[in-house]
Structure formats: C-alpha cells, structure tokens
Amino acid sequence: MAGEIVNKVKSILCLLCVFFLSASCAGNKAGNGGFDNSLDAVITGYNEFTCAELNITMEEMKSAGFVPGDILSVSIGGEVLELPYHTGFFTRIGEMLVVDYPTYAHTVITASTTGLSKKFQELTGQHITLRLKEKGGAAAIETALGRTYSNDRSEYSGDAEFANARMVGTTGMAKGRLYRSASPFDNQFGRAPFVSAYLREQGVKTVLDLSDDEKKIRTYDELPEHSRLLIESGNVIFCKVNTNYRSDDFNARLIAGLMEMSSRPAPYVIHCTEGKDRTGYVCALLEALAGASYEEIAADYLVTYRNYFGITPENNPSECKTLLSLRLNDALMYYCDITDESRLGMINLRDAVSRYLLNHNMTRNQLDDLVRALCE
C-alpha cells in the first residue's frame, strides 16, 4: 500500500514538473529563441523623425509579454539601456524610449521630441534584443500621458471648457490682459468656432499663434468670423514652433514672437493646436516673468487637464504629479537653468526667466516692454 502511494506521488510530481516546464517555456519563449520575456528584432531603417524602426509590431510585443508601461532592457549599438515602453512619446525631451505609436506600422526606438542621437542613427540591419526589466515600472506615466479626450461638445460643461479657453490671472498679470486657448483657426477637433466666440467676447485684439505660419493659415476653410477678422487686422503673430523648448529654433522663434507681441494692442491670446503643451510652456514662462509663484503656475497648467480629461489634484494627485514632473517642470527647469525640480518652489522665478530671455538675445528694454505689456 505504501509503495503504491509513493509511486502515485512520484507520478504526480513528474506530471507537475512537465507542466511547469512547458508553461515556463510557453510563457517566456518569444517564438524567436529568446527567453524570459525577450524578443529579438532588427533595425530596418529610420523614419523622418530619426526613430529607429524595428521589424516587429505591437502585436508581437504583446505576444512576447510586453505591455505599454513596462520598462525594458534593450541591447542596441553595443550598449544595454533601460527604456520605458509606451504608446506615445512619454519621456522628457531627449530621453530614449520604445514606442508603439498609434499611427506607426512598427515598433520604434527613439528619443522624445529630438529623435535619436547620432550614435544610434546608423544601425540599420543591426540585431537588437528587448527583455523585460520591470513589469509596470512606467505604468503611472503611461496612464497619465496616454489618456484621450472627447471632441463632443455635449460632454463638456461649457463652451469655454470645450475651447480650453481662459484668462491668465496669476500674480502680477493685469486682469483681462492675457488669455490662452485652443486654436481659433484650426478646426480639426471642432473647437475653432467656440474659441473664436470666446475671444470675441473677451475683446482679444492680438494673437500669438504657436502652431501656424502664413502658408498653413491659408489652408483652413471657412474660418470663424472673429478669427478671420483677427487675421485681417494684421494682429496675428505667426510664431510656429516645434515642441522642443530646448532647441535653438524654438527659442529664436519664441523670443521674436514675444518681442512683437509686446508692441501690439492688448488683450492677447496665446494658442497652439490644443492649447495644452506649447501654450502651457509659453504661458508658464510669462506667468513667472509677471511674478507668479510655482504653485500658481502649476495650478494654471493643470486646468487644461481638468478641461480635457477631468483630472484634478484632488481626484487624481498622483497623475497630476506625474504630468507636472514630465511636462511643466522640465520646461521651467530649462528656463531657470536648474536640474533639480524640487528647487522650483524655492528660487525667484521672475529673475530666473528674465535671465533666460536676456541670454536669448532679448534686450533689457525689450524685456521691460514685455513686462509692461503683461502687467500694467
């Protein structure tokens, strides 16, 4: 009897060993000889943004056990890098990541906004390996920056919220002097008529347009009436900038646009397409110049995320902290020439951004003119 029991136990143990070994191979093998959530790929070329295109897709990444929000170990160019895996360019400017962008046919490796540095730009044909480093290690970032919003007006509480339009009323800013919004010209999201109506109601006279140039503005059909009148008045400053606020091109264009704005009649509005990223960075700069505290600037920045996504510091403090750290804080650190974001609430922001403007070819008289235009 005892012998039969021992034999049965041995049989069960053998079956369990076979089961777990099979499960391990099935779960870890990626169909390419790799193990432990690994995937081999080849760099097939580079797109126009110097993203390295791989011969794999999001479905293959999923089959290998990778989920957006994971952190991967990537062997590339003779180096082993720890990179987050996302569905968008959800890192700070210049930081590398693995991306399955919705409009891309294949998985890419790139650096947010800047594209890959030169040493990673000539690796076509090279084999690379992706391995799971930390499951969900960047999930909070994926959640915070991967949200989408509705373009249905009925899902918003008011026209201004839908237009992401508001007065900038932080410390030092003259009341009714500066506004921010989505585009009053580009109607791809159905917001332009609502923005145009809001600007008419506020009596806005001058537009700092961060997303258009004179050629692009002519491609828009049937502009809302007030938007058309603003263009005809000659007080639309076309200051089309990229999203890399650390680039020389961004800085040169922005400084020129701000100098021109200060010579035009108020009230002013600043906008890009959504009134979110480029608009947020430029408004933060001007708020700091006028004397706002970091807390005020951060609160105004997050209003956009309340408008579009319903996210507030009260209902989602962790996401708001992530958004500020990766987006607003990085821009302010650049303007203030610091590397520690914890110092943003301690330094004199007005002095810091004044130095930034003066160091980027704005004269003291031009700086004083800009402050007067915003504050008096």
Side-chain angles (χ1 to χ4, degrees):
M1 183 69 177
E4 292 180 6
I5 293 174
V6 170
N7 289 333
K8 286 183 179 180
V9 170
K10 287 181 177 179
S11 298
I12 292 171
L13 288 173
C14 287
L15 289 172
L16 287 173
C17 286
V18 171
F19 172 78
F20 284 118
L21 181 59
S22 299
S24 176
C25 289
N28 294 329
K29 191 171 182 180
N32 55 12
F35 292 86
D36 191 24
N37 293 99
S38 68
L39 189 61
D40 291 333
V42 176
I43 297 175
T44 59
Y46 295 82
N47 66 15
E48 60 182 313
F49 306 109
T50 62
C51 302
E53 298 177 323
L54 308 181
N55 65 333
I56 54 175
T57 65
M58 189 173 189
E59 282 302 312
E60 290 172 284
M61 292 286 285
K62 182 179 178 181
S63 296
F66 302 134
V67 176
D70 289 344
I71 295 178
L72 310 182
S73 175
V74 181
S75 301
I76 178 174
E79 299 185 35
V80 179
L81 308 174
E82 291 184 14
L83 305 179
Y85 171 45
H86 288 302
T87 56
F89 304 101
F90 303 155
T91 58
R92 287 179 172 170
I93 287 177
E95 292 182 352
M96 290 178 64
L97 71 163
V98 181
V99 182
D100 267 314
Y101 196 65
T103 59
Y104 288 0
H106 295 89
T107 305
V108 303
I109 297 174
T110 190
S112 182
T113 305
T114 64
L116 291 171
S117 61
K118 190 172 182 179
K119 69 177 179 178
F120 294 115
Q121 288 184 24
E122 298 178 356
L123 303 177
T124 299
Q126 184 176 115
H127 290 258
I128 69 167
T129 301
L130 303 95
R131 292 186 173 86
L132 182 64
K133 177 67 177 179
E134 183 180 351
K135 192 68 178 172
I141 295 172
E142 176 68 27
T143 299
L145 297 179
R147 289 178 177 270
T148 58
Y149 56 79
S150 170
N151 293 317
D152 184 344
R153 164 63 186 85
S154 67
E155 295 184 25
Y156 293 77
S157 63
D159 289 352
E161 180 181 284
F162 182 59
N164 192 28
R166 59 188 182 275
M167 182 184 75
V168 177
T170 50
T171 293
M173 197 72 67
K175 185 176 181 180
R177 186 62 54 86
L178 180 65
Y179 294 84
R180 56 179 295 176
S181 69
S183 175
F185 308 119
D186 185 346
N187 199 36
Q188 63 177 299
F189 302 120
R191 287 176 166 77
F194 296 91
V195 177
S196 183
Y198 179 87
L199 299 183
R200 183 187 68 244
E201 292 167 4
Q202 306 308 318
V204 167
K205 292 183 172 64
T206 297
V207 180
L208 184 63
D209 184 340
L210 303 176
S211 56
D212 299 306
D213 53 27
E214 294 185 14
K215 181 179 180 181
K216 186 178 179 183
I217 204 75
R218 291 194 293 270
T219 66
Y220 301 136
D221 297 325
E222 299 181 7
L223 288 172
E225 181 181 3
H226 188 66
S227 301
R228 179 178 53 78
L229 291 175
L230 285 168
I231 294 174
E232 291 174 353
S233 73
N235 283 321
V236 176
I237 302 165
F238 296 107
C239 183
K240 184 178 181 180
V241 294
N242 55 39
T243 57
N244 184 3
Y245 43 77
R246 293 176 178 268
S247 69
D248 292 340
D249 185 70
F250 182 102
N251 287 287
R253 289 172 182 268
L254 176 61
I255 300 302
L258 291 176
M259 290 190 298
E260 188 172 349
M261 187 181 82
S262 65
S263 68
R264 302 294 185 89
Y268 311 106
V269 67
I270 296 174
H271 77 84
C272 51
T273 304
E274 301 169 295
K276 182 163 64 71
D277 296 318
R278 288 169 289 182
T279 299
Y281 305 144
V282 175
C283 284
L285 171 69
L286 298 181
E287 288 166 344
L289 182 64
S293 67
Y294 169 74
E295 289 74 20
E296 289 180 277
I297 296 170
D300 178 65
Y301 183 82
L302 289 174
V303 170
T304 289
Y305 289 87
R306 182 194 70 195
N307 288 346
Y308 279 127
F309 308 106
I311 299 172
T312 69
E314 292 73 31
N315 66 26
N316 209 321
S318 63
E319 280 196 36
C320 287
K321 184 178 180 180
T322 298
L323 290 165
L324 291 175
S325 181
L326 288 179
R327 293 295 186 252
L328 175 67
N329 291 0
D330 190 59
L332 283 175
M333 285 191 294
Y334 172 69
Y335 294 143
C336 298
D337 194 26
I338 61 175
T339 57
D340 181 0
E341 63 184 307
S342 68
R343 293 185 58 206
L344 288 172
M346 306 174 189
I347 64 175
N348 187 315
L349 294 177
R350 180 188 297 182
D351 288 349
V353 300
S354 294
R355 285 193 295 272
Y356 157 81
L357 292 168
L358 293 171
N359 289 337
H360 286 83
N361 299 322
M362 184 176 280
T363 68
R364 173 57 67 176
N365 286 339
Q366 290 166 336
L367 178 63
D368 292 343
D369 288 343
L370 180 59
V371 172
R372 280 192 291 270
L374 296 172
C375 302
E376 294 182 3

